Amino acid sequence: MTFSPGALFQNFLTLIRRSLRARFLTTAIVSLVGLILVAVVAQGLFKQQLVRLLIDPEINGVIENLIASAGQDPLAQRVALQDIPFDPRYQRPTARRYYEIAAIQPDGTLQYQLKSASLFDIYIELDPATVRRLVGPDAPRGTQFFDRPRGPDNEPLRVAARATQITGMSGRYLFFVAVAPRETVAPAANLVTLVFLAFAAFCAAMVAGVTALQIRFGLAPLARLQRDIASVRR
């Protein structure tokens, strides 16, 4: 015997109309699903805030340091650093921290000239739309932050970029710093996940307990009334 989805839904509605227990259980299930969805959304938003609070100040500080150290390479017509960044992790191959400096050409394209040792023999090349947003005539001033879905190690990157001039050099340059936030954010994110799981479990226990009490004791007078009416009818 088969049932269509429409017939099953109508049977469910009939059960809801006739049974208070079914209404209580349905309300409890809907409440639990809603709490889980709220917890998932809140956890995601909190992780985004962690990235902005923990990562953005760091990479903005590295950009400031790079701009202050940038100058003319005495041996070539290109940019060079007078000093390495204050954070030595950008020189480690496995640190998942990167920086690049590129000359902005008259047509708006980039000529990559300098990079961190952590990038080996590659550059993190930006797509044309991102380049226009960073260096175009309508680009906002100051450091811009954005997320890149994949980096050299196939991990998401948090990126800071700023287009500016270098003292003693003509033209403008784009300073680009990127960090894979997993290592920095993971400890705090794991703690947040445990807190949200504990909160969801507590809420589930509360909803289940209240629902059980409503069914066990709240409906007891109604059950006695039904038994009394049935005895009178007999």
Side-chain angles (χ1 to χ4, degrees):
M1 184 176 182
T2 60
F3 296 92
S4 65
L8 291 174
F9 183 69
Q10 289 299 324
N11 292 337
F12 173 74
L13 292 180
T14 301
L15 178 63
I16 291 297
R17 285 194 294 266
R18 293 181 178 179
S19 173
L20 285 176
R21 288 185 176 86
R23 295 179 194 175
F24 283 140
L25 290 174
T26 302
T27 301
I29 293 172
V30 171
S31 300
L32 287 176
V33 172
L35 285 171
I36 292 173
L37 291 177
V38 169
V40 170
V41 172
Q43 181 189 17
L45 293 175
F46 194 81
K47 285 184 178 180
Q48 292 179 1
Q49 287 300 112
L50 279 178
V51 170
R52 293 186 176 96
L53 291 173
L54 299 178
I55 301 296
D56 288 2
E58 174 195 323
I59 55 181
N60 187 58
V62 175
I63 278 190
E64 296 281 357
N65 181 240
L66 290 173
I67 293 173
S69 300
Q72 174 74 46
D73 188 339
L75 302 178
Q77 295 296 318
R78 56 185 299 146
V79 67
L81 294 179
Q82 300 173 3
D83 194 7
I84 62 173
F86 62 86
D87 191 337
R89 291 175 295 181
Y90 287 84
Q91 305 305 318
R92 297 174 187 167
T94 59
R96 294 185 176 87
R97 283 170 163 79
Y98 318 99
Y99 67 79
E100 297 175 340
I101 304 176
I104 303 173
Q105 302 301 298
D107 61 357
T109 59
L110 299 179
Q111 181 189 43
Y112 296 93
Q113 296 189 358
L114 192 65
K115 61 184 177 180
S116 61
S118 55
L119 282 172
F120 295 102
D121 58 348
I122 64 171
Y123 282 96
I124 301 176
E125 297 188 3
L126 303 176
D127 60 87
T130 301
V131 173
R132 286 194 299 270
R133 179 164 57 86
L134 295 174
V135 306
D138 299 327
R141 289 180 172 271
T143 304
Q144 301 182 57
F145 300 93
F146 59 95
D147 296 310
R148 186 179 175 91
R150 293 182 63 184
D153 294 307
N154 295 321
E155 290 191 25
L157 296 178
R158 183 65 173 173
V159 180
R162 186 192 302 183
T164 187
Q165 292 182 315
I166 297 176
T167 303
M169 299 185 67
S170 61
R172 293 194 306 152
Y173 290 79
L174 180 68
F175 291 79
F176 175 98
V177 178
V179 170
R182 181 176 61 87
E183 293 182 0
T184 302
V185 177
N190 292 338
L191 178 60
V192 171
T193 300
L194 291 177
V195 171
F196 276 109
L197 288 176
F199 173 75
F202 172 76
C203 291
M206 290 293 294
V207 171
V210 170
T211 302
L213 289 174
Q214 287 178 329
I215 293 175
R216 177 66 179 85
F217 298 104
L219 296 181
L222 180 60
R224 288 195 297 269
L225 179 61
Q226 289 176 335
R227 289 195 297 270
D228 293 343
I229 292 174
S231 62
V232 169
R233 287 178 177 176
R234 288 196 296 269

